[in-house]
Amino acid sequence: MTKVFKNYLIIWVVLLIIFNVVSFVSVGWTGQEKYTPSFWIGYAFITLTFIGQIVCAYFALKNVDIKKTFYNIPLFETSCKGVILTFVVGGLCMLISPLPYWIGIIGCSIILLFNIISVVKAFATVDIVSGLDSKLRTQTFFTKSLTIDADTLMASAKSDSVKTECRKVYEAIRYSDPMSNGALASVETQITLKFAELSEAVKADNIEAVTTLANEVCILVADRNKKCKMLK
């Protein structure tokens, strides 16, 4: 249970207590019975929606990861709107106690059904967005990882001439297309193998080998970029 949810839970409990106090302490309309079927129908639906909202809030705020919490904001907002809408309709049922019970049941049921559909859609949206984010991270992992390796390799260069060649490779990788694809597996494998050879040459401070291998890596990266354009 995160600190955010604990703080919200306190607010939720306070609001529920206030709702119950107002519901049972208020005197109602003069000359009319307060505790009619219409009153209890409104009270039951509002209480049920309150409970559903705290469940939604738990799923929305339970994650420590800020990004996941951000994705769940629509779910939290939808559940809050559901409480407000139910409170308006259910409150009218409680306030207008002589109202026929069947009108209260139909009205509150429609609102409850609308809330359920909205919450289900919000849950589905969270799953879709999370899935797309995970897929995007997977598709960009190759380029991001190789960029970090190229930056590290440039920093480890022992001479200025070797550093210059490593910078050329770093810039080529850094500004290449970040999206990967299964069709690029062959050329990406070649880049990985050739980059490994370049790393060994840099460690040996062999400028001739570094220059040759750096050019070959850049050519492979350029070839990958061309194929990326073809796949779009």
Side-chain angles (χ1 to χ4, degrees):
M1 186 182 296
T2 62
K3 184 178 181 180
V4 175
F5 178 74
K6 289 179 180 178
N7 292 335
Y8 179 73
L9 182 60
I10 294 173
I11 298 173
W12 181 87
V13 170
V14 170
L15 291 175
L16 186 60
I17 292 173
I18 293 174
F19 166 67
N20 280 275
V21 169
V22 173
S23 297
F24 294 106
V25 173
S26 59
V27 296
W29 294 102
T30 304
Q32 295 180 355
E33 184 181 353
K34 178 180 178 180
Y35 300 112
T36 63
S38 178
F39 172 90
W40 290 113
I41 288 168
Y43 175 80
F45 273 94
I46 292 175
T47 303
L48 180 63
T49 306
F50 256 108
I51 296 172
Q53 197 281 324
I54 196 61
V55 173
C56 292
Y58 171 75
F59 282 105
L61 305 176
K62 69 176 182 177
N63 294 297
V64 178
D65 188 348
I66 296 178
K67 182 180 289 187
K68 290 183 178 179
T69 301
F70 176 76
Y71 289 156
N72 283 309
I73 288 178
L75 173 62
F76 180 75
E77 290 181 342
T78 299
S79 64
C80 289
K81 290 177 182 178
V83 170
I84 295 172
L85 194 57
T86 304
F87 185 81
V88 171
V89 177
L92 288 174
C93 292
M94 296 173 66
L95 187 63
I96 310 173
S97 53
L99 190 72
Y101 73 91
W102 58 270
I103 294 179
I105 292 177
I106 292 175
C108 291
S109 296
I110 291 174
I111 298 302
L112 179 62
L113 180 61
F114 174 79
N115 291 340
I116 292 174
I117 292 174
S118 299
V119 168
V120 170
K121 288 172 63 177
F123 266 114
T125 301
V126 171
D127 289 339
I128 292 172
V129 173
S130 298
L132 289 174
D133 182 64
S134 177
K135 183 179 180 181
L136 182 62
R137 286 199 302 270
T138 301
Q139 290 180 329
T140 59
F141 176 78
F142 174 79
T143 305
K144 289 182 178 180
S145 176
L146 196 61
T147 301
I148 294 172
D149 292 340
D151 187 35
T152 303
L153 185 65
M154 182 173 60
S156 66
K158 298 177 182 178
S159 62
D160 291 339
S161 55
V162 171
K163 185 181 290 291
T164 299
E165 294 299 321
C166 290
R167 182 180 296 278
K168 180 172 65 176
V169 172
Y170 170 74
E171 295 294 335
I173 297 172
R174 180 186 178 188
Y175 294 110
S176 64
D177 195 313
M179 298 301 293
S180 189
N181 188 294
L184 301 173
S186 177
V187 67
E188 288 179 351
T189 299
Q190 294 179 55
I191 292 173
T192 302
L193 293 175
K194 193 62 65 175
F195 187 86
E197 293 181 29
L198 175 63
S199 298
E200 293 300 320
V202 171
K203 290 179 182 179
D205 199 29
N206 186 339
I207 182 59
E208 293 182 2
V210 168
T211 301
T212 301
L213 291 169
N215 289 332
E216 291 179 3
V217 171
C218 290
I219 291 172
L220 288 172
V221 170
D223 182 47
R224 176 186 177 277
N225 289 336
K226 292 177 182 178
K227 290 181 179 179
C228 280
K229 292 180 180 179
M230 290 175 58
L231 293 170
K232 292 182 178 179

